[in-house]
Amino acid sequence: MSKYHPLSEAEAIEIARSIVEVFPTGEELVSREIGDGNLNLVFHITQPATGRSLIVKQALPYVKIIGDSWPLSLDRARIEGEALIKQGELAPGLVPVVYRSDADMALTIMEDLSDHVIMRKGLIEGGVYPDFAEHLAEFLSRTLFFTSDLGMNQQDKKVQLGRFINPDLCKITEDFVLNFPYFDAESNNIEPHLRDAAESVWHDEELLLEAAKLREKFLTQAQALLHGDLHTGSIFVTPASTKVIDPEFAYYGPIGFDIGATVANLLLNFAGQEHWSPDEAGRRDRRAYLIHTITELWTRFERKFRALWDEHGVDKRLSVRGYQDDYMKRLLQDTIGFAGAKALRRIYGLAQVADIATIPDRDARERAQRLALDIARNLIVSNRSATSIEDLVRIAETAAGY
Ligand code: SR1
């Protein structure tokens, strides 16, 4: 019989106490459940006498925001632990330290990053993260290149792929990101003032076709080991540090999905500036910063990925003239397409984002929602004709009236 059960705070404390590298002494430990995500329990364990702390994360066997009618495999905790360890090897310093994982109890015990802020919150509060694009480009280029057929032994990759079969979490994405927003699904959460905009999506043949092609890519293209849910709520930042967390959606999928996820969330914040910036000048400045971050992220990613290809490419076929350029063009197009899809689902789908959903004034919120939708639609329909990150910039700026 499985020993799994959701932990009480007292049990989380007992487990934390066994991590002697963090708590070598026996003073009192205090626990607080801080999980505000959709799927897990998260215990923040502190030792007031020493100021030491760690995080105990436990997967729940269902989707927290829906309830036990949507069961979820606990194997995702094993996947998360293994993905974090792999990412830590490939991109040192850019993920939290894992002290222990326990597949039976669906636990990952890891470094406490409370000296950082969740990037979504930081951006909403007007934070500036000058090293973020460089750090995330490093994380993405190294974790994606070295887990792909370009950067690792291709037979070993097939074996690795088997360790990251993640059907339940992929289904969440296949449904909530790439299916439900495109029809009148029960789980959509459409504010009355936005109903007409959602309906226009459901009748937009051009959009529906491109979205279906993106979904097919997500279902079939096992390019590299993805983080799988790389929105700004999965990234901790300070002005000088970036840590990517929560890779429980990790699976072998299309590289552009990970880059697109981050870009989408920067664009959702861009749209949210309808409220978060106090005046038109501030709004322009803030949006310029977000666009600069997106451009730098892509440019640095591309430069690093090409350098890894040139230096560590495992295969003679990789030097065929024009192949790298063609591959990078397709990555850009996928990034743009998935950025659109990842943004669109957050506007009237089940799980929305604070950048827009918490805007208190209805009119400002509606302006942000319509702006985000305009950007998302145009990214999706134009993804396969994009040739440069400037194409994305133009779409966002035009939608904002710049
Ligand atoms: C039921 S949708 C839950 C969402 O939360 C996670 O962070 C993923 O983004 C997922 O799509």
Side-chain angles (χ1 to χ4, degrees):
M1 220 180 72
S2 156
K3 66 172 183 169
Y4 175 85
H5 59 274
L7 291 178
S8 65
E9 295 203 328
E11 288 172 307
I13 285 177
E14 274 329 292
I15 288 168
R17 195 173 286 294
S18 68
I19 309 296
V20 291
E21 63 266 46
V22 180
F23 300 125
T25 55
E27 287 95 338
E28 186 202 17
L29 299 182
V30 178
S31 165
R32 203 160 54 92
E33 206 279 306
I34 55 166
D36 62 352
N38 301 320
L39 312 173
N40 306 293
L41 294 174
V42 181
F43 299 96
H44 182 226
I45 314 280
T46 52
Q47 189 168 51
T50 61
R52 291 166 169 266
S53 58
L54 55 68
I55 293 292
V56 175
K57 175 173 174 182
Q58 184 179 41
L60 289 168
Y62 51 83
V63 181
K64 200 160 124 189
I65 51 167
I66 299 180
D68 50 16
S69 63
W70 191 294
L72 268 193
S73 158
L74 295 173
D75 190 41
R76 70 184 194 276
R78 175 194 64 79
I79 288 176
E80 173 164 359
E82 291 190 17
L84 269 179
I85 287 165
K86 165 86 14 217
Q87 291 163 347
E89 286 163 11
L90 293 173
L94 294 172
V95 298
V97 176
V98 177
Y99 302 121
R100 189 189 306 160
S101 51
D102 174 341
D104 291 338
M105 282 296 283
L107 290 178
T108 313
I109 305 172
M110 61 192 138
E111 185 183 5
D112 175 23
L113 296 169
S114 342
D115 55 335
H116 291 57
V117 63
I118 282 290
M119 188 174 193
R120 186 181 309 290
K121 183 167 182 285
L123 287 177
I124 288 172
E125 290 168 356
V128 172
Y129 305 103
D131 293 337
F132 166 74
E134 169 63 19
H135 290 161
L136 200 70
E138 179 79 0
F139 174 85
L140 287 166
S141 58
R142 293 187 60 82
T143 60
L144 296 170
F145 179 83
F146 284 116
T147 59
S148 77
D149 290 298
L150 308 169
M152 74 179 287
N153 175 283
Q154 293 150 1
Q155 279 57 55
D156 292 344
K157 181 208 157 196
K158 292 174 180 67
V159 175
Q160 276 301 304
L161 195 152
R163 293 203 63 76
F164 289 100
I165 301 286
N166 199 353
D168 287 12
L169 282 280
C170 284
K171 182 166 170 53
I172 289 182
T173 304
E174 290 150 18
D175 284 350
F176 289 99
V177 181
L178 298 164
N179 184 18
F180 295 159
Y182 299 97
F183 69 97
D184 195 3
E186 210 186 313
S187 63
N188 286 333
N189 181 8
I190 308 170
E191 291 200 71
H193 62 251
L194 215 60
R195 182 89 202 167
D196 67 299
E199 283 178 0
S200 75
V201 168
W202 305 334
H203 295 105
D204 187 335
E205 300 282 339
E206 201 187 353
L207 177 62
L208 295 177
L209 177 59
E210 288 305 322
K213 289 184 180 186
L214 288 164
R215 186 165 185 269
E216 177 193 314
K217 207 164 267 182
F218 184 86
L219 285 162
T220 60
Q221 195 172 21
Q223 263 180 332
L225 179 62
L226 305 190
H227 175 283
D229 193 26
L230 197 46
H231 53 77
T232 47
S234 295
I235 303 171
F236 268 115
V237 282
T238 71
S241 168
T242 304
K243 305 270 184 185
V244 175
I245 62 165
D246 286 355
E248 66 201 301
F249 284 72
Y251 91 112
Y252 265 84
I255 288 174
F257 186 80
D258 264 4
I259 316 166
T262 306
V263 169
N265 282 269
L266 294 169
L267 290 172
L268 289 164
N269 189 271
F270 176 103
Q273 295 310 316
E274 288 301 315
H275 169 73
W276 303 110
S277 286
D279 53 36
E280 186 48 38
R283 200 160 16 252
R284 266 191 187 255
D285 279 1
R286 193 65 189 157
R287 285 183 172 152
Y289 162 68
L290 292 163
I291 290 294
H292 177 72
T293 303
I294 292 171
T295 310
E296 282 294 296
L297 174 60
W298 171 260
T299 307
R300 286 168 191 255
F301 166 80
E302 179 176 16
R303 195 181 308 136
K304 287 170 187 284
F305 199 89
R306 283 181 185 271
L308 292 171
W309 181 310
D310 293 340
E311 198 179 332
H312 299 284
V314 292
D315 189 321
K316 266 207 169 333
R317 297 301 91 214
L318 300 187
S319 47
V320 167
R321 192 194 309 272
Y323 182 31
Q324 188 186 96
D325 288 345
D326 181 72
Y327 193 101
M328 297 312 296
K329 186 176 89 186
R330 285 183 280 124
L331 286 194
L332 173 77
Q333 293 174 343
D334 290 354
T335 295
I336 290 177
F338 284 121
K342 293 282 278 180
L344 192 143
R345 61 80 60 117
R346 296 292 189 188
I347 302 161
Y348 57 83
L350 174 71
Q352 304 190 3
V353 289
D355 312 60
I356 294 180
T358 64
I359 295 176
D361 175 61
R362 201 211 71 130
D363 290 347
R365 192 168 66 251
E366 179 176 351
R367 284 200 306 280
Q369 289 164 326
R370 289 185 186 273
L371 172 55
L373 200 50
D374 185 6
I375 296 171
R377 184 208 178 259
N378 284 309
L379 294 179
I380 295 171
V381 297
S382 68
N383 79 89
R384 285 182 305 120
S385 56
T387 55
S388 136
I389 196 66
E390 282 307 313
D391 293 323
L392 176 148
V393 171
R394 205 168 309 115
I395 285 171
E397 291 186 342
T398 305
Y402 299 150

